[in-house]
C-alpha cells in the first residue's frame, strides 16, 4: 500500500471546511512507503476496554533552561516576536511540511508575515510522519528520540505549551550484548555530577563493553577534540569514523563495540562510511551539557502531538497549511528569479518569497535547468539521502526483556529499538508488546520484499530475546506488522559533505532553503531541521526590504509588458 498518493488538497484550518482539489503525485524519491501484513490470530481486546494509563515511571523534565545553547536558541526565537511589525506582511510560499518547513512557517508567522505551507502528501511531518491503521494503531516513519541537547526543539515545545508531551527517561544509554543474549550493558550518567564528569563516570563505570586499556586509549584519542573545539571537529569531516579511530590509535574493538551502534543511530550507516565529524558533534553536545544525552519519547504520534500544535499556531497568526499540494515545477521570471510554484493539480501559487523545505533529493529533481550550473546548487549533487526502514511488530504477549527506554541493538541488521507499548502513553498496552525497530543500514534491503525484511528481523530478535522470541514463532506470536520504507531519508553524512551543505539564503533573490541538510551546527536530525527553519525565517526577515523591492520590480515589469 502506497502512502504517497492522494487526490485532494485539504486546507488545514479548524475555522474552515474549504477543500481544494488536487491531483495524483509526481515525485516519490524522498518519501516513505508503508506496508502492512496481518497474520491471523485471535482478536485482541479492544483498546477502549481499559483506560489509558502508565505503569512505567517516567522522569521529571531535566533542567535545560540555563545551558548556553538553550539560551541562544531562546534568544533567536524571541527575535521573531520582537521584530518590528511589517507594514506589508510578506506572503512566503513554503514547500514541505516536515519539521523544517513547519519551523520556517512558525517563526515567519511570529514575525508578522503570512506563510503558506504546501505539503505534497496527506500527512504532516515529513520524516516524522505517521499513519493509523484499521485497528487504530499508529506506525511511524522512524523511531524518534528527543535529546536534552536539542535546544531549538526544546524551546519549540515550550513556545507551544506542550512540554508535558515529552516523556523523559532515566539518564542512561543501554546496549544489548550479542555475546550474552538477553543481557544489556548500561552507561549510567549520575545526576549528582556536572558535565563532562557525569559522562566520564558513565564510561568508566561500564566494564562489559570496554576494557580499562581501551578506555584509556579512547580518552587519549579524544583529547585533541576536547582541546581543539569546533575548529578541530570541522577539520575531521574528511575522515570516516573507522579511519579516525585508527589514526588516533584506538583499538578496532572500541569501534565495533560502541561506535557501530552510534553510527547507525546517528545516520543509518556503518563507521567505515560515516564522517567522524558527525560523531564528534554528537559527543561534544552529549559531554558538554549535563542533560545533553538524556532522552525523551513523544507521548503519542508525531503528526497530532507535535505537528498539529505548530499548524494551529501558524493559522492563529494568519498563516495557512495545505495538504496534498505537490509542486510540479518552479517557474522562473526572465531574470531567473522565481515567478511561481506550479502544482500538479494545475494551480499556480505566487508569493513574495519562496522556500524549498523538501528533502534534498526532491529539491534536485525540481531544480530549474537555468540554476543547475550555479555552484551553490551544483554542490548539492554530493548530498544524497540514505535509505532506512522502520519496522513495527505487534506480539501476542508482553515481552519481559525490555526497558522503558531506547535500546541499542548492536545487531548487524538493526540499529535501535524500543517497546513502544511501554515507552509511549498513547501506544501503551498492558498485555502486549509493540516493538519499533530501525532496520539499518538498509541499502541492500530497501528493494526487498516485506516478508524477507520481517524474516530477517525476527531472526535478529530471536538473538535479542532468546527466551521469548523464536524465528519460527513457537514462542511469542506475531499478530501483525507494518514496514515503512524511506528510500531517501536524511542525507548520507560521508566524508567531505560539509562544504556542500548550502546556506539557507540562496544566490537567487527571493529563494531560500530549509532542511537538516542545510548549513547549521547540528546533525541531520530533528534539531537540525528545526534550527534550519529558524535560520531560513531569519534570512527572510532580514531581507524584508529587499523582497519588497523585488516585488515592486516584478510589478513594474509586468505593467510594461
Amino acid at each position: 500500500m502506497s502512502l504517497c498518493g492522494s487526490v485532494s488538497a485539504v486546507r488545514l484550518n479548524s475555522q474552515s471546511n474549504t477543500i481544494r482539489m488536487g491531483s495524483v503525485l509526481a515525485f516519490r524519491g524522498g518519501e516513505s512507503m508503508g506496508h502492512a501484513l496481518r497474520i491471523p490470530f485471535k482478536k485482541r481486546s479492544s483498546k477502549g476496554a481499559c483506560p489509558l494509563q502508565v505503569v512505567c515511571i517516567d522522569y521529571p523534565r531535566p533542567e535545560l533552561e540555563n545551558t548556553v545553547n538553550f539560551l541562544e536558541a531562546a534568544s533567536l526565537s524571541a527575535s521573531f516576536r520582537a521584530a518590528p511589525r511589517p507594514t506589508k506582511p510578506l506572503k512566503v510560499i513554503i514547500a514541505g511540511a516536515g519539521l523544517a518547513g513547519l519551523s520556517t512557517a512558525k517563526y515567519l508567522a511570529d514575525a508578522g508575515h503570512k506563510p503558506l505551507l504546501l505539503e505534497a502528501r496527506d500527512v504532516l511531518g515529513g520524516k516524522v510522519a505517521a499513519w493509523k491503521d484499521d485497528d487504530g494503531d499508529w506506525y511511524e516513519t522512524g523511531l524518534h528520540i528527543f535529546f536534552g541537547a536539542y535546544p531549538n526543539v526544546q524551546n519549540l515545545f515550550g513556545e507551544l505549551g506542550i512540554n508535558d508531551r515529552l516523556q523523559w527517561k532515566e539518564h542512561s544509554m543501554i546496549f544489548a550484548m550479542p555475546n550474552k543474549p538477553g543481557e544489556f550493558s548500561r552507561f549510567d550518567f549520575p545526576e549528582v555530577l556536572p558535565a563532562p564528569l557525569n559522562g566520564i563516570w558513565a564510561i568508566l563505570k561500564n566494564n562489559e563493553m570496554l576494557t580499562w586499556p581501551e578506555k584509556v586509549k579512547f580518552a587519549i584519542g579524544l583529547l585533541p577534540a576536547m582541546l581543539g573545539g569546533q575548529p578541530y571537529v570541522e577539520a575531521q569531516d574528511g575522515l570516516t569514523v573507522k579511519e579516525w579511530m585508527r589514526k588516533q590509535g584506538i583499538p578496532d574493538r572500541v569501534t565495533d563495540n560502541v561506535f557501530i551502534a552510534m553510527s547507525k543511530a546517528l545516520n543509518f550507516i556503518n563507521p567505515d562510511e560515516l564522517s567522524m565529524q558527525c560523531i564528534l558533534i554528537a559527543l561534544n553536545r552529549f559531554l558538554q551539557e549535563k542533560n545533553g544525552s538524556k532522552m525523551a519519547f513523544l507521548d503519542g504520534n508525531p503528526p497530532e502531538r507535535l505537528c498539529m500544535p505548530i499548524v494551529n499556531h501558524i493559522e492563529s497568526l494568519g498563516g495557512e497549511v495545505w495538504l496534498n499540494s505537490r509542486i510540479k515545477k518552479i517557474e522562473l521570471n526572465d531574470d531567473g528569479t522565481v515567478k511561481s510554484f506550479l502544482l500538479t493539480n494545475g494551480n499556480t501559487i505566487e508569493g513574495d518569497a519562496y522556500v524549498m523545505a523538501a528533502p534534498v533529493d526532491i529539491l534536485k529533481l525540481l531544480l530549474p535547468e537555468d540554476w543547475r550550473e550555479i555552484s551553490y546548487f551544483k554542490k548539492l549533487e554530493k548530498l544524497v539521502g540514505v535509505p532506512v526502514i522502520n519496522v513495527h511488530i505487534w506480539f501476542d504477549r508482553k515481552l519481559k526483556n525490555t526497558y522503558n527506554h531506547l535500546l541499542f541493538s548492536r545487531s548487524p541488521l538493526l540499529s535501535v529499538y524500543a517497546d513502544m507499548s511501554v515507552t509511549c502513553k498513547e501506544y501503551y498496552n498492558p498485555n502486549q508488546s509493540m516493538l519499533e525497530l530501525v532496520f539499518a543500514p538498509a541499502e541492500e534491503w530497501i528493494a526487498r520484499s516485506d516478508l524477507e525484511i520481517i524474516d530477517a528481523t525476527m531472526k535478529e530478535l530471536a538473538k535479542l530475546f532468546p527466551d521469548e522470541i523464536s524465528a519460527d514463532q513457537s514462542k511469542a506470536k506475531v499478530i501483525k506488522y507494518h514496514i515503512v520504507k524511506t528510500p531517501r531519508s536524511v542525507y548520507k553524512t560521508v566524508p567531505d559533505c560539509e562544504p556542500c551543505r548550502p546556506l539557507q539564503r540562496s544566490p537567487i533573490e527571493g529563494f531560500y532553503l530549509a532542511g537538516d541538510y542545510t548549513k547549521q551546527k547540528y546533525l541531520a536530525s530533528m534539531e537540525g531541521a528545526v534550527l534550519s527553519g529558524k535560520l531560513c525565517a531569519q534570512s527572510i526577515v532580514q531581507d524584508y526590504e529587499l523582497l519588497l523591492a523585488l516585488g515592486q520590480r516584478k510589478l513594474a515589469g509586468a505593467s510594461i509588458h
Side-chain angles (χ1 to χ4, degrees):
M1 175 180 62
S2 172
L3 293 168
C4 306
S6 182
V7 293
S8 66
V10 181
R11 180 179 177 181
L12 285 177
N13 192 322
S14 57
Q15 306 299 318
S16 169
N17 291 320
T18 304
I19 297 181
R20 299 173 178 269
M21 296 310 295
S23 67
V24 294
L25 55 133
F27 299 102
R28 297 173 185 245
E31 300 183 341
S32 302
M33 300 177 290
H35 303 275
L37 176 74
R38 174 173 295 284
I39 295 175
F41 194 75
K42 69 177 182 179
K43 185 172 179 63
R44 296 180 297 158
S45 59
S46 169
K47 281 197 168 182
C50 62
L52 188 66
Q53 56 179 315
V54 178
V55 295
C56 295
I57 298 173
D58 289 320
Y59 287 71
R61 184 175 186 274
E63 189 172 316
L64 303 170
E65 288 76 10
N66 294 327
T67 65
V68 171
N69 287 320
F70 186 95
L71 293 171
E72 180 184 89
S75 176
L76 181 53
S77 293
S79 71
F80 296 103
R81 299 189 296 271
R85 297 300 90 178
T87 53
K88 179 187 179 299
L90 297 172
K91 181 181 180 182
V92 183
I93 314 302
I94 305 165
L99 289 181
L102 288 165
S103 173
T104 305
K106 190 265 185 195
Y107 291 104
L108 282 172
D110 283 349
H113 298 291
K114 303 301 178 188
L116 170 56
L117 185 55
L118 307 173
E119 169 53 43
R121 299 188 294 181
D122 60 354
V123 60
L124 295 165
K127 297 184 189 76
V128 301
W131 300 267
K132 185 184 284 189
D133 68 13
D134 293 340
D135 298 319
D137 292 317
W138 287 89
Y139 55 102
E140 305 178 352
T141 305
L143 180 52
H144 302 290
I145 303 299
F146 297 80
F147 287 95
Y150 281 3
N152 290 283
V153 168
Q154 297 301 335
N155 268 278
L156 179 62
F157 271 81
E159 292 159 29
L160 298 170
I162 57 172
N163 273 332
D164 61 343
R165 296 187 182 185
L166 287 178
Q167 293 182 252
W168 290 94
K169 309 305 179 184
E170 62 183 320
H171 200 169
S172 301
M173 299 182 78
I174 306 172
F175 292 74
M177 298 290 287
N179 56 331
K180 298 177 181 178
E183 295 187 24
F184 295 88
S185 180
R186 301 168 60 102
F187 291 86
D188 294 316
F189 295 71
E191 294 295 327
V192 296
L193 293 178
L197 295 179
N198 61 342
I200 294 171
W201 180 264
I203 294 170
L204 294 179
K205 286 288 288 182
N206 181 295
N207 293 316
E208 296 99 352
M209 292 177 66
L210 299 177
T211 66
W212 272 97
E214 288 167 344
K215 292 175 189 177
V216 170
K217 288 182 179 179
F218 179 49
I220 293 172
L222 277 180
L223 277 177
M226 298 173 72
L227 297 174
Q230 191 64 23
Y232 177 86
V233 171
E234 292 179 1
Q236 307 315 301
D237 180 48
L239 296 174
T240 67
V241 176
K242 182 166 279 191
E243 287 169 345
W244 185 89
M245 293 285 183
R246 287 178 173 172
K247 181 181 176 184
Q248 300 303 115
I250 300 171
D252 284 349
R253 221 180 71 88
V254 175
T255 304
D256 296 340
N257 273 8
V258 178
F259 288 99
I260 285 180
M262 281 193 67
S263 297
K264 293 202 293 183
L266 288 169
N267 198 240
F268 313 126
I269 57 178
N270 283 317
D272 58 348
E273 289 189 282
L274 183 68
S275 166
M276 187 60 194
Q277 184 194 43
C278 184
I279 291 285
L280 291 175
I281 288 173
L283 288 176
N284 186 40
R285 298 287 178 261
F286 292 165
L287 293 176
Q288 296 304 318
E289 298 178 22
K290 178 179 177 179
N291 294 301
S293 57
K294 192 160 183 144
M295 303 179 208
F297 284 70
L298 191 63
D299 68 355
N301 72 89
E304 292 181 352
R305 301 300 288 169
L306 173 56
C307 299
M308 272 310 300
I310 306 176
V311 170
N312 293 338
H313 180 87
I314 292 166
E315 292 181 337
S316 73
L317 295 174
E320 298 177 83
V321 181
W322 297 353
L323 296 180
N324 296 326
S325 299
R326 181 178 296 277
I327 293 177
K328 180 179 181 181
K329 184 181 180 183
I330 300 173
E331 297 187 310
L332 302 184
N333 294 304
D334 292 340
D335 63 358
T337 58
V338 179
K339 179 181 180 182
S340 63
F341 281 169
L342 174 64
L343 305 186
T344 54
N345 62 14
N347 288 341
T348 298
I349 310 295
E350 295 186 2
D352 300 302
Y354 300 84
V355 178
M356 280 298 295
V360 67
D361 300 279
I362 296 293
L363 168 63
K364 288 188 288 187
L365 286 173
L366 288 169
L367 272 181
E369 201 63 43
D370 293 354
W371 293 359
R372 292 183 181 272
E373 293 306 310
I374 298 173
S375 175
Y376 175 89
F377 296 111
K378 196 169 180 61
K379 288 180 181 178
L380 297 178
E381 293 175 7
K382 188 171 175 65
L383 303 180
V384 178
V386 63
V388 66
I389 300 169
N390 212 44
V391 180
H392 313 69
I393 307 177
W394 282 259
F395 290 92
D396 68 335
R397 66 196 67 182
K398 205 72 181 169
L399 299 173
K400 298 174 183 177
N401 197 32
T402 62
Y403 283 84
N404 179 22
H405 213 300
L406 179 76
L407 300 169
F408 293 83
S409 76
R410 300 175 70 205
S411 151
L413 296 181
L414 305 176
S415 171
V416 291
Y417 68 98
D419 185 344
M420 299 298 281
S421 70
V422 171
T423 60
C424 174
K425 288 180 184 178
E426 185 176 11
Y427 304 163
Y428 172 74
N429 189 316
N431 303 313
Q432 297 160 350
S433 284
M434 188 276 270
L435 294 185
E436 185 171 344
L437 311 106
V438 178
F439 195 107
E443 192 163 356
E444 295 179 9
W445 289 86
I446 199 76
R448 296 200 194 186
S449 70
D450 293 349
L451 189 57
E452 287 178 287
I453 292 168
I454 202 69
D455 283 348
T457 301
M458 288 297 292
K459 287 174 183 175
E460 293 302 307
L461 288 179
K463 300 173 187 175
L464 293 170
F465 296 82
D467 298 327
E468 301 179 84
I469 296 176
S470 61
D472 63 1
Q473 293 191 60
S474 59
K475 297 174 184 175
K477 302 288 191 297
V478 174
I479 297 173
K480 65 176 180 179
Y481 64 79
H482 287 286
I483 291 175
V484 180
K485 296 179 179 179
T486 306
R488 292 287 181 264
S489 183
V490 297
Y491 80 94
K492 193 173 184 179
T493 314
V494 295
D496 300 318
C497 273
E498 195 62 25
C500 301
R501 297 176 72 183
L503 294 170
Q504 288 75 29
R505 181 188 285 112
S506 87
I508 307 298
E509 286 187 344
F511 184 74
Y512 303 82
L513 300 180
D516 58 14
Y517 70 92
T518 63
K519 195 75 172 177
Q520 38 80 20
K521 65 180 182 179
Y522 288 88
L523 309 169
S525 62
M526 292 185 290
E527 171 67 14
V530 170
L531 177 53
S532 78
K534 291 174 85 168
L535 294 175
C536 181
Q538 182 185 50
S539 296
I540 294 170
V541 171
Q542 290 170 346
D543 292 349
Y544 175 65
E545 297 295 339
L546 181 150
L547 293 168
L548 282 183
L550 181 63
Q552 290 169 353
R553 290 205 310 269
K554 288 179 181 178
L555 284 174
S559 62
I560 291 172
H561 289 298

